[in-house]
Amino acid sequence: MAFKEILDELPTIDHLSGLNVKQGDEIIHHIPAIPGKLGSLRLYHALAEKFNGKLDRTSAQQGIEWFAEYVEDAKKHPGKHPNIDLLFNVVEKELVLHLELLKNQQEN
């Protein structure tokens, strides 16, 4: 299945302004809700929902699978796809990180 088809099956992100990846209290990666990053944000949001906010080997492998056709390009061009590179890093180093969803501020 292609990345776009996978995205279409994942929960929406209309309520998010972004997502932080944290190691302890430190933010080590941020995905904003801006054009060009919305697919990655939607994928990471789905990982957070499915794995209770935990980014470890198991959830990272799921994310790599969902990135579908972009994975080979990420392997060939390190740095071109930082959100995939992060997943590779989690698997390779057996990291355990936390996904923090940043909800939109409600206007009164």
Side-chain angles (χ1 to χ4, degrees):
M1 191 178 302
F3 180 65
K4 171 100 175 73
E5 294 170 316
I6 292 166
L7 277 187
D8 288 344
E9 295 181 359
L10 300 179
T12 63
I13 54 169
D14 298 339
H15 62 292
L16 297 180
S17 63
L19 178 143
N20 288 332
V21 180
K22 298 176 84 174
Q23 189 166 32
D25 291 331
E26 181 186 358
I27 297 169
I28 62 166
H29 191 77
H30 176 72
I31 305 172
I34 60 170
K37 301 292 180 191
L38 296 174
S40 289
L41 179 59
R42 192 165 180 178
L43 186 147
Y44 271 80
H45 168 255
L47 289 176
E49 294 285 312
K50 182 173 182 175
F51 295 98
N52 297 312
K54 187 175 181 182
L55 184 61
D56 60 5
R57 174 183 277 276
T58 302
S59 55
Q61 287 173 327
Q62 175 69 79
I64 291 167
E65 183 180 316
W66 283 345
F67 268 113
E69 70 271 15
Y70 290 101
V71 173
E72 281 307 310
D73 192 50
K75 287 179 183 174
K76 291 177 186 172
H77 304 100
K80 183 176 178 183
H81 302 279
N83 297 317
I84 301 174
D85 294 342
L86 175 63
L87 298 176
F88 291 156
N89 198 30
V90 168
V91 170
E92 181 182 314
K93 295 181 180 175
E94 297 192 17
L95 299 174
V96 177
L97 305 173
H98 177 72
L99 301 173
E100 176 186 43
L101 302 174
L102 304 174
K103 299 196 187 308
N104 288 326
Q105 297 296 320
Q106 295 294 329
E107 294 186 38
N108 294 334

